Amino acid sequence: MSQESKLQHAPKTKNRSIEYKAVSDEYMSQRQLKKGVAGWVLLASLGISYVISGDFAGWNFGLELGGFGGMLIATLVMGLMYICLVLSLAEMSSSLPTAGGGYSFARRTMGPWGGFLTGTAILLEYAIAPAAIAIFIGGYVNELIGIDGPIVYAAFYMVFVGLHLWGAGEALRIMMGITLLAVIAIGVFMVGMVPHFDSANLFDIAANPDVAGSSSFLPEGYMGIWAALPFAMWLFLAVEGVPLAAEEAKNPAKDMPRGIIASMLVLIIFAAAVLLLVPGGAGAEAMKTHGAPLVGALQSVYGLDSLAAKFVNLVGLFGLIASFFSIIYAYSRQVFALSRAGYLPRFLSLSGKRKVPVWALIVPGILGFLLSLTGEGDLMITMAVFGATISYAMMSLSHILLRKKEPNLERPYKTPGGIVTSSIALILSLVALASTFVVSLQAAMWSALFYLIMVTYFVLYSRHRLVASAPEEEFDMIASAESELN
């Protein structure tokens, strides 16, 4: 039976609470992305660029909350979670290559509600993360030329949203170049700091006598491990965004698994390097609240005006820019997919002549700039982590359900360990979610408010106006039709 015939016989909804509205023949033609602009190397670069800013700033706040020992254990635990998650996503993105990424996987296995809740969590992460990075960019720019604050945030948002509006292929190639510069900066940092590593520096934060289990290794006791989890995640946060480029990949079946796994391997090396060499060279106490820890570490051993510190400060700025640039790409594709299917206002998925989602780039960019004005980088990190951990749990559950519901689905790549691997990611993501309430109840409550607003919009409006011809909805209808016919 042809796809068109299957769609004609497919039920309009699985649930009476969900309704579809007819759209014109032009609807999908006005919402197209440019195909074949990304191979696996570019996808790997995209995955690295999503995350690499986390190596340059933000993660070190975990030293203040958990000391080196707490941050080390937290990083090992979160590293395991991300490895399991990435292997699960590699399978799903090769099987279901759409711009919706995690939202589309959850939509396939848990229906419109599951898809929307997952997409909203991803959107919270990707809308908030650039605001945090903009704040950290301001810190690096201030070190270089003495300018910080709204003028810096606005300039970076305008320039890099503008580059994305220029075209996807052009933006991804520029992103790859910026990421390469950031990688060079980390390499220079590693070479410069290795001779000055002293393990005693790792444990120079005084133990808190008022907490259980405190020691030089765990100065804030066992709870310090828990509190450090969100900042350990910052070393890997957003690598899961690689599947959002699936519709623009050359060969999704092969390129998506290669790209996301390769990027994760590189990120593990970088995380180990900065976690050991920053406090190991300059001392955990001195670096625990530093706005630019790699620069601060080099300055502590080579002097404030040293060439190495100036180089890493200048080129390290590109690490922050790389993540800022790439996560703008990620949030635009997530908004595009949700809007195209009717979950968000439909105008957000309109694409121009260059086949980029214009309003999906601009509107979240304006909101992100307004959030950056708070100057609360650590608060933004925790809010981004709140959204991320919910999405990780939902995506891991999607992998488990997809294996059980559709064992015969074509899988060009299969996750090693199967549902055991995704179950580990699910459990650890729930642990990480709980940690956000320990770090900042304020951040968790603001994130919950965002979620409440989005769910209210879905309940009262968009669930009655979904678009059947969107790829995620078509996939579901075809699957439903085949199930009934069989």
Side-chain angles (χ1 to χ4, degrees), residues 65-87:
L65 296 173
F68 174 75
M71 187 62 185
L72 174 64
I73 295 172
T75 301
L76 291 173
V77 172
M78 291 297 93
L80 175 61
M81 179 189 75
Y82 274 97
I83 290 169
C84 293
L85 178 67
V86 159
L87 292 173

Side-chain angles (χ1 to χ4, degrees), residues 13 17 105 160 233 275 298 336 386 388-389 425 447 476 482 485:
T13 68
S17 68
F105 309 148
F160 291 104
M233 286 181 63
L275 180 58
L298 287 167
F336 169 81
F386 183 91
T389 51
S447 302
D476 183 70
E482 288 176 340
L485 291 171

Side-chain angles (χ1 to χ4, degrees), residues 116-431:
F116 179 77
L117 293 175
T118 304
T120 298
I122 296 170
L123 191 56
L124 172 60
E125 174 191 357
Y126 290 155
I128 296 291
I133 297 168
I135 294 167
F136 298 140
I137 286 174
Y140 269 74
V141 172
N142 188 51
E143 288 279 341
L144 285 171
I145 59 175
I147 300 175
D148 197 355
I151 189 170
V152 175
Y153 311 153
F156 275 86
Y157 265 107
M158 286 190 291
V159 168
F160 291 104
V161 168
L163 286 172
H164 278 295
L165 291 172
W166 182 23
E170 294 82 357
L172 287 172
R173 284 189 287 273
I174 292 170
M175 195 185 307
M176 187 175 183
I178 294 172
T179 303
L180 179 60
L181 289 173
V183 169
I184 291 171
I186 291 180
V188 170
F189 166 79
M190 292 167 63
V191 171
M193 290 303 297
V194 165
H196 299 276
F197 176 81
D198 183 348
S199 59
N201 291 334
L202 301 172
F203 312 110
D204 66 351
I205 297 177
N208 183 349
D210 299 325
V211 297
S214 64
S215 64
S216 59
F217 183 71
L218 294 173
E220 294 298 327
Y222 306 120
M223 287 300 292
I225 301 170
W226 189 271
L229 289 177
F231 301 97
M233 286 181 63
W234 197 242
L235 292 166
F236 309 104
L237 188 82
V239 68
E240 75 282 356
V242 173
L244 293 168
E247 288 187 29
E248 293 157 285
K250 292 179 181 177
N251 184 350
K254 292 183 178 179
D255 292 340
M256 297 309 299
R258 289 176 181 173
I260 194 169
I261 292 171
S263 62
M264 187 64 199
L265 293 174
V266 173
L267 292 168
I268 290 171
I269 295 171
F270 289 170
V274 299
L275 180 58
L276 287 171
L277 295 177
V278 167
E285 177 66 40
M287 292 293 102
K288 67 182 183 181
T289 58
H290 201 288
L294 274 64
V295 176
L298 287 167
Q299 288 174 337
S300 71
V301 297
Y302 291 105
L304 294 176
D305 295 323
S306 65
L307 181 61
K310 287 182 177 179
F311 177 82
V312 172
N313 193 9
L314 177 60
V315 182
L317 179 59
F318 286 95
L320 295 169
I321 292 172
S323 291
F324 182 75
F325 195 9
S326 59
I327 297 177
I328 288 173
Y329 172 88
Y331 76 55
S332 69
R333 270 48 181 182
Q334 186 65 79
V335 171
F336 169 81
L338 288 167
S339 168
R340 181 176 61 181
Y343 293 91
L344 294 180
R346 294 179 185 177
F347 81 91
L348 291 171
S349 54
L350 288 169
S351 55
K353 292 180 180 179
R354 291 184 173 274
K355 295 187 177 180
V356 295
V358 177
W359 293 108
L361 283 162
I362 294 173
V363 173
I366 293 171
L367 295 176
F369 166 70
L370 294 175
L371 287 170
S372 71
L373 297 178
T374 65
E376 299 286 344
D378 53 347
L379 177 67
M380 295 295 109
I381 288 176
T382 311
M383 290 179 66
V385 167
F386 183 91
T389 51
I390 293 174
S391 73
Y392 298 167
M394 296 292 279
M395 288 188 283
S396 300
L397 181 59
S398 297
H399 181 268
I400 295 168
L401 294 176
L402 197 61
R403 278 290 187 99
K404 290 183 176 294
K405 288 183 174 181
E406 300 187 50
N408 298 322
L409 178 70
E410 183 179 354
R411 291 175 169 85
Y413 173 86
K414 291 188 177 181
T415 302
I419 63 172
V420 172
T421 300
S422 47
S423 296
I424 293 171
L426 172 60
I427 293 168
L428 293 179
S429 64
L430 294 175
V431 171

